[in-house]
Amino acid sequence: MDNTNYEETRRKFLTKLGLSIGAVAVGSEKISATVLNSRQEFPLTTEQQRLMDQYELWMDAFIPAVQRQRANNEDLIAKAKIMELSEQAEIWRPQLEKFMEDETFARYYMTVTERLTKEVY
């Protein structure tokens, strides 16, 4: 895959994963920037917490891969890792979308995702 297609695919994935889901939550006025404080403010169910634990571990792998790829656009290992992680995230995406209907979860998710946004963009 050439760099143009790779970057477009990566942007689309990030948009689908976080920004579009966040936009739905913001669009439905479930959250606002002022509520994105401490994660402890948002109690989750055991199932929701399990997904968020998985998501945070995923971010721990995804962020360095993106940073590595940005530092060296020709880094094939970083590109492969990003693609692998993108495929991994697609597996739990339906569950994430379901949980986003819960206001508390949506707030927690946006708080956690703020780290991804800050470190990748």
Side-chain angles (χ1 to χ4, degrees):
M1 172 182 319
D2 68 41
N3 285 340
T4 304
N5 287 339
Y6 169 76
E7 285 298 320
E8 185 175 322
T9 300
R10 185 173 66 88
R11 274 192 223 102
K12 284 180 183 177
F13 169 75
L14 290 172
T15 299
K16 282 189 347 188
L17 180 64
L19 302 179
S20 64
I21 292 171
V24 170
V26 171
S28 63
E29 297 180 3
K30 286 188 175 185
I31 68 171
S32 70
T34 58
V35 299
L36 300 179
N37 300 321
S38 169
R39 292 180 232 167
Q40 289 75 26
E41 295 177 32
F42 313 113
L44 303 177
T45 68
T46 302
E47 192 176 352
Q48 290 171 333
Q49 188 60 58
R50 199 172 304 130
L51 177 65
M52 288 309 299
D53 290 345
Q54 180 182 3
Y55 178 62
E56 290 187 66
L57 287 173
W58 177 88
M59 281 196 313
D60 289 344
F62 188 75
I63 291 168
V66 170
Q67 290 171 334
R68 184 174 164 178
Q69 188 271 328
R70 279 192 165 170
N72 177 5
N73 199 29
E74 302 302 317
D75 188 331
L76 298 178
I77 294 171
K79 289 180 181 185
K81 186 66 172 177
I82 290 168
M83 294 304 286
E84 174 190 330
L85 290 165
S86 297
E87 291 171 7
Q88 212 177 62
E90 283 297 318
I91 294 168
W92 40 263
R93 180 175 154 73
Q95 187 178 31
L96 177 63
E97 289 175 339
K98 176 184 153 206
F99 288 158
M100 287 299 287
E101 295 172 6
D102 177 287
E103 180 178 345
T104 301
F105 180 87
R107 289 177 179 181
Y108 184 97
Y109 173 81
M110 294 304 290
T111 299
V112 170
T113 301
E114 188 174 3
R115 176 169 69 106
L116 176 68
T117 304
K118 285 180 181 177
E119 294 190 40
V120 172
Y121 295 103

